[in-house]
């Protein structure tokens, strides 16, 4: 019962505007945060369908003491999830109405002329060619102009975004993970040649991502939370866009790095894998519970070269000798979260102009603070926001403030979606979206020190299709060449 009550409380908090999904889940006190996050996200994804089923079955009228948020969670798990594995008296209540709910579901499928529950979910709105942006009501950006995705409307459903699996190279290698999944009955199709290959995935088929060399791609909603590879820390469930910051920071082994707003820790573990646990990561977050969860996650992932601190990054002294060797900083500050596909599907979820202004002010302050570390050579600034105010405008303002000390790097030239033309050079930044890149909405900018005291420009990572490990002239979609296996093999 605790799981369903916690999920209902998170849904209620989202409706009140108390925060985003991640913050509410981590602050819930529920011990299995990933299980809770998955249940809340899926309930949100099915929310329009659940509302129709509840209305048709008159469940809330029949059970007046049943809170509507709890009703949604129970009906989701009863009809679309794991079948109410827990729940006590509420479980018994929901099962009493099962026949009527199933009849309403069958009726809805007939009305919509579909046979699968997944087909009841709304499709992603199409973006215009090139994913161009225009201004919408109140100056808010709109993807694709008049025919695209308005940011004041619900985010695209998570059913359109594939399940991305990052191989944790601290414990294993891509080849061994591929072999493991093949032994579990999955069909490996080699390396993707285009985003359309990812879009076409179905059943028990998977691909190597076309951009990131240690990222495997499975059909949407593939569940690995009980998989041995996940529970042992050999794989990390992380959206592709969220993998870009550490990938583009690309620190050399032995580097000292700051992860300024680190929890829940996926990017931190990615940095450690790139470093091969050689070097030092200083990770900061102000929330005690999130840090505790992060520490558990990092330990499970085999990360050893890190120091966690419950501290506001803005209070960290750049002149402290402890950070005198910090050459790289990953900065992923608090933002509106407007790019997350699992946002609560309500128009009121769009932040007000005042809220955006406050977020942007904080982001400018923290970015400027990060650039003041004396040995810093490269910084990646990222958000899961779609708003120009939190992205290009923040980077432009701080670069103007810093003069010629730092410059934008043309990161990942083969990436299809670039920064908005908010200022000269903004196209060096990256954007991601469900429509164009089949990921969460994301923004990434790479800054390097320029002028006196700057290190020689280091090469940014190349895309998977440009990586020599796949062989020159290899046909698109071909499997990567086998690499020497150094990590422990997972046994079933």
């Amino acid at each position: 019962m605790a799981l369903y009550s916690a999920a209902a409380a998170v849904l209620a908090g989202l409706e009140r505007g108390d925060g985003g999904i991640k913050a509410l889940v981590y602050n819930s006190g529920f011990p299995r945060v990933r299980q809770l996050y998955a249940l809340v996200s899926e309930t949100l994804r099915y929310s329009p369908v659940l509302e129709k089923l509840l209305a048709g079955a008159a469940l809330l009228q029949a059970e007046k003491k049943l809170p509507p948020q709890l009703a949604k969670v129970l009906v989701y798990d009863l009809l679309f999830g794991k079948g109410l594995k827990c729940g006590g008296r509420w479980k018994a209540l929901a099962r009493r109405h099962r026949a009527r709910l199933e009849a309403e579901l069958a009726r809805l499928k007939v009305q919509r002329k579909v046979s699968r529950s997944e087909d009841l979910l709304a499709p992603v709105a199409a973006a215009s060619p090139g994913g161009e942006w225009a201004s919408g009501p109140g100056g808010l950006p709109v993807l694709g102009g008049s025919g695209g995705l308005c940011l004041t409307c619900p985010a695209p459903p998570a059913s359109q975004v594939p399940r991305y699996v990052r191989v944790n190279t601290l414990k294993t290698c891509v080849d061994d993970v591929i072999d493991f999944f093949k032994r579990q009955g999955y069909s490996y199709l080699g390396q993707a040649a285009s985003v359309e290959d990812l879009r076409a995935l179905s059943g028990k088929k998977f691909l190597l991502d076309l951009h990131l060399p240690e990222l495997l791609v499975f059909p949407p909603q593939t569940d690995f939370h009980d998989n041995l590879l996940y529970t042992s820390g050999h794989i990390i469930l992380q959206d592709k866009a969220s993998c870009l910051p550490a990938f583009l920071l690309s620190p050399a082994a032995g580097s000292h790095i700051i992860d300024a707003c680190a929890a829940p820790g996926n990017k931190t573990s990615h940095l450690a894998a790139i470093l091969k646990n050689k070097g030092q990561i200083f990770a900061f977050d102000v929330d005690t519970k999130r840090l505790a969860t992060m520490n558990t996650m990092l330990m499970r992932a085999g990360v050893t070269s890190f120091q966690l601190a419950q501290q506001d990054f803005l209070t960290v002294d750049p002149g402290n000798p402890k950070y005198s060797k910090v050459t790289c900083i990953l900065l992923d500050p608090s933002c509106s979260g407007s790019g997350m596909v699992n946002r609560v599907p309500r128009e009121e979820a769009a932040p007000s102009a005042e809220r955006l202004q406050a977020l942007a002010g904080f982001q400018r302050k923290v970015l400027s603070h990060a650039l003041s570390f004396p040995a810093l050579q490269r910084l990646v600034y990222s958000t899961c926001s779609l708003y120009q105010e939190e992205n290009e405008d923040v980077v432009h303002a701080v670069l103007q403030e810093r003069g010629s000390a730092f410059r934008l790097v043309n990161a990942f030239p083969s990436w299809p979606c670039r920064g908005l033309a908010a200022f000269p050079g903004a196209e060096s930044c990256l954007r991601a979206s469900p429509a164009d890149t089949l990921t969460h909405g994301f923004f990434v900018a790479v800054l390097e020190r320029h002028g006196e005291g700057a290190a020689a420009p280091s090469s940014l990572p190349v895309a998977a299709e440009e990586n020599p490990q796949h062989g020159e002239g290899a046909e698109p979609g071909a499997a990567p060449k086998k690499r020497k296996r150094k990590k422990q093999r997972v046994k079933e």
Side-chain angles (χ1 to χ4, degrees), residues 165-185:
V165 171
R166 177 169 61 81
V167 176
N168 178 14
T169 54
L170 291 176
K171 286 196 165 186
T172 186
C173 66
V174 172
D175 298 323
D176 281 355
V177 171
I178 289 172
D179 289 346
F180 181 89
F181 282 124
K182 287 165 69 175
R183 294 197 304 274
Q184 289 196 323

Side-chain angles (χ1 to χ4, degrees), residues 348-424:
E348 290 87 348
S352 64
E354 292 76 14
R355 171 68 173 156
L356 273 181
Q357 186 177 15
L359 284 168
F362 164 74
Q363 291 151 357
R364 288 193 299 270
K365 184 182 295 186
V366 74
L367 177 55
S368 181
H369 181 68
L371 293 179
S372 66
F373 281 74
L376 180 67
Q377 294 296 323
R378 178 184 290 178
L379 177 144
V380 166
Y381 173 81
S382 64
T383 74
C384 54
S385 169
L386 300 176
Y387 294 107
Q388 178 179 320
E389 291 92 332
E390 298 181 87
N391 297 327
E392 289 88 355
D393 288 356
V394 168
V395 172
H396 187 214
V398 175
L399 283 176
Q400 286 189 314
E401 171 191 309
R402 289 279 162 180
S404 59
F406 288 87
R407 62 181 175 187
L408 270 173
V409 175
N410 185 23
F412 220 157
S414 63
W415 188 258
C417 299
R418 315 307 301 184
L420 309 184
F423 61 94

Side-chain angles (χ1 to χ4, degrees), residues 191 464-476 478-481:
Q191 185 190 351
E465 75 271 18
E466 299 165 346
N467 197 310
Q469 77 183 36
H470 301 295
E472 294 183 7
E475 294 183 8
K481 290 184 177 180

Side-chain angles (χ1 to χ4, degrees), residues 69-118:
Q69 297 87 1
L70 181 57
K72 280 189 178 182
V73 173
L74 290 170
V75 175
Y76 164 76
D77 218 21
L78 178 68
L79 298 182
F80 308 112
K82 297 184 179 295
L84 293 178
K85 298 297 183 183
C86 56
R89 66 188 182 96
W90 294 117
K91 173 182 176 179
L93 179 151
R95 284 185 169 174
R96 284 202 304 269
H97 296 269
R98 181 169 193 159
R100 184 64 186 273
L101 289 165
E102 288 178 340
E104 287 299 321
L105 178 59
R107 184 179 294 113
L108 187 58
K109 288 180 179 178
V110 171
Q111 290 175 351
R112 301 277 183 88
K113 297 180 180 180
V114 300
S115 58
R116 301 185 312 148
S117 298
E118 285 278 331

Side-chain angles (χ1 to χ4, degrees), residues 41 44-45 121-127 143 148-151 153-161 199 221 337-345 386 432-436 438-441:
S41 298
L44 282 174
R45 189 165 71 95
L121 302 175
V124 174
L143 178 59
L149 177 66
C150 175
L151 295 185
C153 300
S159 61
Q160 307 297 319
V161 176
R199 201 185 305 274
Q221 309 314 314
S338 52
M340 303 301 288
V341 297
N342 288 322
R343 288 182 64 203
V344 60
L386 300 176
S433 71
D436 295 315
L438 282 186
T439 67
H440 290 290

Side-chain angles (χ1 to χ4, degrees), residues 165-428:
V165 171
R166 177 169 61 81
V167 176
N168 178 14
T169 54
L170 291 176
K171 286 196 165 186
T172 186
C173 66
V174 172
D175 298 323
D176 281 355
V177 171
I178 289 172
D179 289 346
F180 181 89
F181 282 124
K182 287 165 69 175
R183 294 197 304 274
Q184 289 196 323
Y186 289 87
S187 297
Y188 177 55
L189 305 181
Q191 185 190 351
S194 68
V195 171
E196 292 308 311
D197 287 348
L198 308 185
R199 201 185 305 274
L201 278 174
S202 63
K204 296 191 73 171
K205 298 175 182 178
F206 72 108
L207 289 158
L208 181 69
D209 185 64
L210 69 158
H211 291 116
L212 305 184
E214 287 155 0
L215 198 65
L216 301 177
V217 192
F218 292 79
Q221 309 314 314
T222 307
D223 188 4
F224 291 119
H225 286 90
D226 296 326
N227 191 285
L228 174 61
L229 287 182
Y230 171 72
T231 57
S232 63
H234 286 68
I235 61 172
I236 309 293
L237 305 182
Q238 185 174 359
D239 183 69
K240 178 176 176 176
S242 177
C243 294
L244 288 174
F247 179 73
L248 293 175
L249 189 63
S250 188
S255 297
H256 284 212
I257 304 171
I258 283 178
D259 190 350
C261 308
N266 282 342
K267 297 181 185 70
T268 315
S269 69
H270 195 182
L271 286 171
I274 294 170
L275 288 175
K276 302 176 182 178
N277 266 340
K278 298 175 181 177
Q280 187 64 54
I281 301 173
F282 301 99
F284 300 94
D285 203 275
V286 295
D287 191 285
T288 307
K289 292 179 181 177
R290 284 165 59 91
L291 275 179
T293 302
M294 178 179 172
N295 185 67
T296 301
M297 180 266 189
L298 294 179
M299 295 298 289
R300 184 176 64 195
V303 180
T304 59
S305 55
F306 69 97
Q307 292 184 25
L308 299 186
Q310 183 192 352
Q311 185 176 357
D312 183 347
F313 176 63
L314 283 171
T315 67
V316 178
D317 179 11
N320 188 326
K322 183 177 182 179
Y323 311 117
S324 62
K325 296 181 181 179
V326 169
T327 56
C328 299
I329 292 180
L330 193 156
L331 178 59
D332 188 55
S334 299
C335 69
S336 65
S338 52
M340 303 301 288
V341 297
N342 288 322
R343 288 182 64 203
V344 60
R346 298 166 65 243
E347 183 172 335
E348 290 87 348
S352 64
E354 292 76 14
R355 171 68 173 156
L356 273 181
Q357 186 177 15
L359 284 168
F362 164 74
Q363 291 151 357
R364 288 193 299 270
K365 184 182 295 186
V366 74
L367 177 55
S368 181
H369 181 68
L371 293 179
S372 66
F373 281 74
L376 180 67
Q377 294 296 323
R378 178 184 290 178
L379 177 144
V380 166
Y381 173 81
S382 64
T383 74
C384 54
S385 169
L386 300 176
Y387 294 107
Q388 178 179 320
E389 291 92 332
E390 298 181 87
N391 297 327
E392 289 88 355
D393 288 356
V394 168
V395 172
H396 187 214
V398 175
L399 283 176
Q400 286 189 314
E401 171 191 309
R402 289 279 162 180
S404 59
F406 288 87
R407 62 181 175 187
L408 270 173
V409 175
N410 185 23
F412 220 157
S414 63
W415 188 258
C417 299
R418 315 307 301 184
L420 309 184
F423 61 94
E427 65 278 2
S428 296

